[in-house]
Every structure is written in C-alpha cells, then in structure tokens.
Amino acid sequence: MGRDRIHERIGKRHLPRVILGILSILFIGGAALLWKIAIALPSERTTIAQDGDPVRIMSWDEARRRLTVMPLPGDLRIDGAYGVGSLPIASIRRLEVLDSKKKGVFIASLSDALAIPIVGLTDEVPLPLRLRFWWIMKKLRPDAITTFDLDSRGVFSTDTLPDGDQVRVFDVNRFDAVIGGELEVDSIRREGARVRVVNTTDVAGLGNRAARFLSHAGMVVVAVESEQGSQKGCTLHAKEGVLRDDSVRFASAVFGCVPTGEDTEDRVDITVRLGSDYRFVPRPRR
C-alpha cells in the first residue's frame, strides 16, 4: 500500500476525533464566556462611565432592575483626583490621555465627585462586563431608566475666575441633597450599619469625602473624626457578627481597608480609619 494511501486512511480514521475535539473546545470556551458574562456584574450596584460630551454615568441596580443615568457636560469643573486641581471634565480626560503617569485619574475624579465607585469606561472595562451591560441596555424597558438632569436641579453652579470668565462648577452639597437614596445598595441599606469615619492623616476633608461614599451606599454615618498619629493603611473594625456584611465588604473594597477585628465603640457598628496610603479607587501608575 502506498504511503499516500496509508495517510489517507489514517486521516479518515482520526478526522471525527479531531472535529469532536475542536467542537468540544469551542463549546467549553463559549460556555465559559457565557458564564463570565452572567456573573460579570461585580456587585449589586455597578456603575460605568460612557466617554463623550457629555460623559454619561450609568449606574445599574441589579436588585431593582433599574438604570440611573447622569449626564455630565465636558466643561463642568470638578475637583480632580491625585492633586490635579479643579478642572473641566474634558480637560481631566485629556490629561490622562497625554500623561501615562495619570492613568486612572479620570475615573477617580468622577468617582470622587459623585461619591460612588465607578468600574471604568464602557470601552475599557473587561469584555464580559461590557457585553453584560450591552445586553441589559438592549432588553431594558424605557420606564426602568431614570435620567437625572443635574443642571436643572441646581447641581451645576456658576463661578467667576480671577480673569472674569464664568465657569460651571459641580456643587457637591447640592448633588448629595438631590440624589438622596438613588445610589443606595439595597442590601447595605437593609443592614443599616452605623459607621464612624476617622481621618488619621493631615489631609483636610478626607473623612468627609469617605463618608459620602458610605452614605450614598446606604450606611448611616454617625461621626466623622480626626486622630493624631497617621497610620499608613486603612483599617476597619466591626461589631461581632458584622464582619461578613455587605457594608464591610463595600468599605473594604472602596477604601482598601483591612478588617482587624471587633470595634469597641458602643455607638457604632463599624469604624473606618483612613491612613496616609488612602485610596477610594485605584491610584494611577507612577
């Protein structure tokens, strides 16, 4: 029997196995992708930003099956994260694009202004999460979408620069009053955790900034205090039986806290101590 004939017979014998193997790989890969898409939402509330002018903040509440949309115009000034100063949103975005060391400053600034964790931009988040959001938007009924026109609600105030130019500025206090419980996480609100925030750093206002994240999530902030003697990292102390609550997991994730045991403060369930290496969202690359 010729060599070609032998190769032909061997090929016919193994071809079904090869096809089956390829199909199995495709099936397993497809199933894995579908599973990743199904569990892509990292928490009960997931918020992403859609780049453009305006930037659209889209916050999905898995429990209520509702989407909250907040448009933010590019010329709106917010306090930029990592010490970049008060800048228009569009300028902060350009700063990140032009300076590789400022990677992450755009999302960090938006998160800090709104006091809600933002996962990332729609075109930069992991593919499973991107597909999950696409599927949610495709199937979502119009009456399940709430668009907050923050401008008409007085959240954008007018300020005058030293050169006489007038600019629009994001009013944090007005925003907190207007948004109310819209950004709450149901499971955290039900826990009703009483929280004490302690700023151990020399960064003025850091405790209040952290408290906004906790309040928006549904916790009850009963005290914001300062302590002498800065610690490096964030630590979290909680009452017995609270360490496994969603409130603890949320605070630990947002601030990078390390749970260290029980809290001895009677009036609260959780104490968050912020250190000099504080973070609300990942820091940019150095």
Side-chain angles (χ1 to χ4, degrees), residues 55-58 68-72 114 148 150 175 179 183:
V55 173
R56 297 185 185 278
I57 307 300
M58 299 185 294
T68 300
V69 180
M70 293 176 285
L72 302 175
L114 302 173
F148 268 82
L150 299 177
F175 171 76
I179 207 67
L183 302 178

Side-chain angles (χ1 to χ4, degrees), residues 75-148:
D75 67 339
L76 181 68
R77 283 179 172 260
I78 61 175
D79 289 331
Y82 315 137
V84 301
S86 177
L87 292 171
I89 289 174
S91 297
I92 298 176
R93 178 59 174 153
R94 284 196 297 271
L95 178 64
E96 177 175 326
V97 172
L98 296 174
D99 187 351
S100 60
K101 293 183 179 180
K102 293 294 189 293
K103 182 69 175 176
V105 68
F106 184 59
I107 291 299
S109 300
L110 293 174
S111 294
D112 206 5
L114 302 173
I116 179 172
I118 299 176
V119 178
L121 291 169
T122 51
D123 57 348
E124 294 178 359
V125 297
L127 180 61
L129 180 57
R130 197 182 316 169
L131 293 175
R132 180 67 187 275
F133 250 87
W134 171 81
W135 182 253
I136 288 172
M137 295 295 292
K138 183 179 177 63
K139 296 295 183 180
L140 202 59
R141 291 163 49 104
D143 58 1
I145 302 176
T146 301
T147 299
F148 268 82

Side-chain angles (χ1 to χ4, degrees), residues 112 115 195-215 221-227 255 272-275 278 280:
D112 206 5
V195 186
R196 170 177 171 243
V197 179
V198 181
N199 179 14
T200 74
T201 78
D202 57 0
V203 180
L206 183 63
N208 288 324
R209 287 167 54 195
R212 292 181 62 228
F213 278 83
L214 304 177
S215 295
V221 179
V222 298
V224 179
E225 303 171 1
S226 297
E227 282 184 0
F255 307 135
V272 175
R273 281 187 169 84
L274 302 169
Y278 69 90
F280 295 159

